[in-house]
Amino acid sequence: MKCRKCGGAAALELRRHNAAFCAPDFLEFFRNQVREAIRRHKMFTRDERVLVAVSGGKDSLALWDVLLDEGYDATGLYLDLGIFDYSVESKAKCEAFAARRGAPLIITRVADEVGGPVPVIKQVTRRPPCSGCGLSKRYLMNRAALEHGMAVVATGHNLDDEAATLFGSVMHWQTDALPRQSPALASTHPKLVRRVKPLYRLSEREAAAYAFLRRIDYIVEECPFAKGATSIAHKEILNRMEEASPGAKHNFLFGFLEKARPAFERAEAVQLNECARCGQVTTGTVCAFCKLADQVKRAAADVPPAPEQ
Amino acid sequence: MKVVLRNPRREVEVAGNRRVKDVLRELDILPETVLVIRGDDLVTADQMLRDDDVIELRPVMSGGVR
Ligand code: SF4
Ligand SMILES: [Zn+2]
Ligand SMILES: [Zn+2]
């Protein structure tokens, strides 16, 4: 297989683009897709400070790497979820990356904020770990950006993540979730920062290839709670469709963004309030994060938690 | 030839002297779900593997709510 650009030996085939690239030309392709995403959705400018949510995985570290190379003022935010060895190792990867690139990294411990790490939250709430975890992450990302005076949070969501989320929403016709699925969500309140996904045009295989070719030391192991997640089942289904028809995932997501999403946009705006406890934005009186932290802290005061592995 | 699989890390022995895509098919792995790594390089599905090659098939999927 030959590189589409230079005719040299290819390192990676991109079937959905009907192309293959050598390592240097693939890296340039990858950066171009990120540039295109940022430009097309006016994600941020070089005058803005960007908070990059990093997990230690390939996507977020690849994103941070590109943004730094492109000259953006990008600070990392690592949320320590307290998920056993997975968190210990993924945190070390982020710290090593930050040190190597000389980039600033903010670390926030979920246990300090919620009253217990994710395994304890799971125990106390008796809900799937991803629900309390996801809620905490969204809240803490937004709060960290506000506290540090940054107008935008960038996450490493890739094409596969977005296609799998869309698939899940469509399977259940969650018409309220559909308009919120976007590569860039504008701020709708002074205390809500913009949220952007500069990797949405790139597949997770491309993100992994970028990280590998850039010699980024990322965590290959998965969060132990990811196993049963429905998003993984959806990704598997989509990958099978992709195998049969290259470009299927891309067409599914981009078709939605270009043709269908506007149809689900709601006319009436939701009423946004400031949480009576913490001042962050909520649709109710007390925000979901404060309620969660309340529940976890109360449980911790009663019985000392003993997380099962 | 030796194939290194991840999550959990393990090794399997398969016959070499054939193309990457044939090895993937034998192991029932979709090409879209892995990077094929030999040393410091990525290998495309049409490349021939030798009997003394060691390759890593690194899954690219990440999951959960992020
Ligand atoms: S898989 Fe679930 S529990 Fe694990 S980090 Fe992701 S959201 Fe959190
Ligand atoms: Zn080339
Ligand atoms: Zn609150």
Side-chain angles (χ1 to χ4, degrees), chain A residues 231-276:
Chain A
S231 61
I232 301 239
H234 291 158
K235 281 184 178 179
E236 279 163 3
I237 292 166
L238 290 168
N239 276 335
R240 251 176 247 132
M241 292 173 55
E242 183 77 21
E243 180 66 16
S245 143
K249 288 187 282 199
H250 179 107
N251 293 338
F252 179 53
L253 179 66
F254 282 64
F256 165 75
L257 292 175
E258 281 153 26
K259 297 180 204 151
R261 187 174 171 273
F264 292 97
E265 218 120 31
R266 270 178 303 175
E268 87 279 21
V270 264
Q271 171 68 38
L272 294 177
N273 315 310
E274 291 186 13
C275 169

Side-chain angles (χ1 to χ4, degrees), chain A residues 54 56 61 64 78 88-103 105 107:
Chain A
V54 288
L61 290 183
W64 199 8
Y78 177 78
V88 176
E89 209 186 310
S90 59
K91 180 171 158 222
K93 304 279 188 205
C94 292
E95 288 173 326
F97 181 89
R100 184 156 75 103
R101 297 292 317 240
L105 175 66
I107 297 178

Side-chain angles (χ1 to χ4, degrees), chain A residues 8 52 102 122 126 135 137 139 142 148 156 174 179 199 217 244 251 256 258 276 282 288-289 301 306 309:
Chain A
V52 186
K122 165 183 175 263
R126 297 172 195 278
L135 164 72
K137 281 194 266 193
Y139 176 94
N142 186 71
H148 291 86
Q174 289 164 328
L199 299 188
D217 184 18
N251 293 338
F256 165 75
E258 281 153 26
T282 175
F289 180 84
Q309 182 111 23

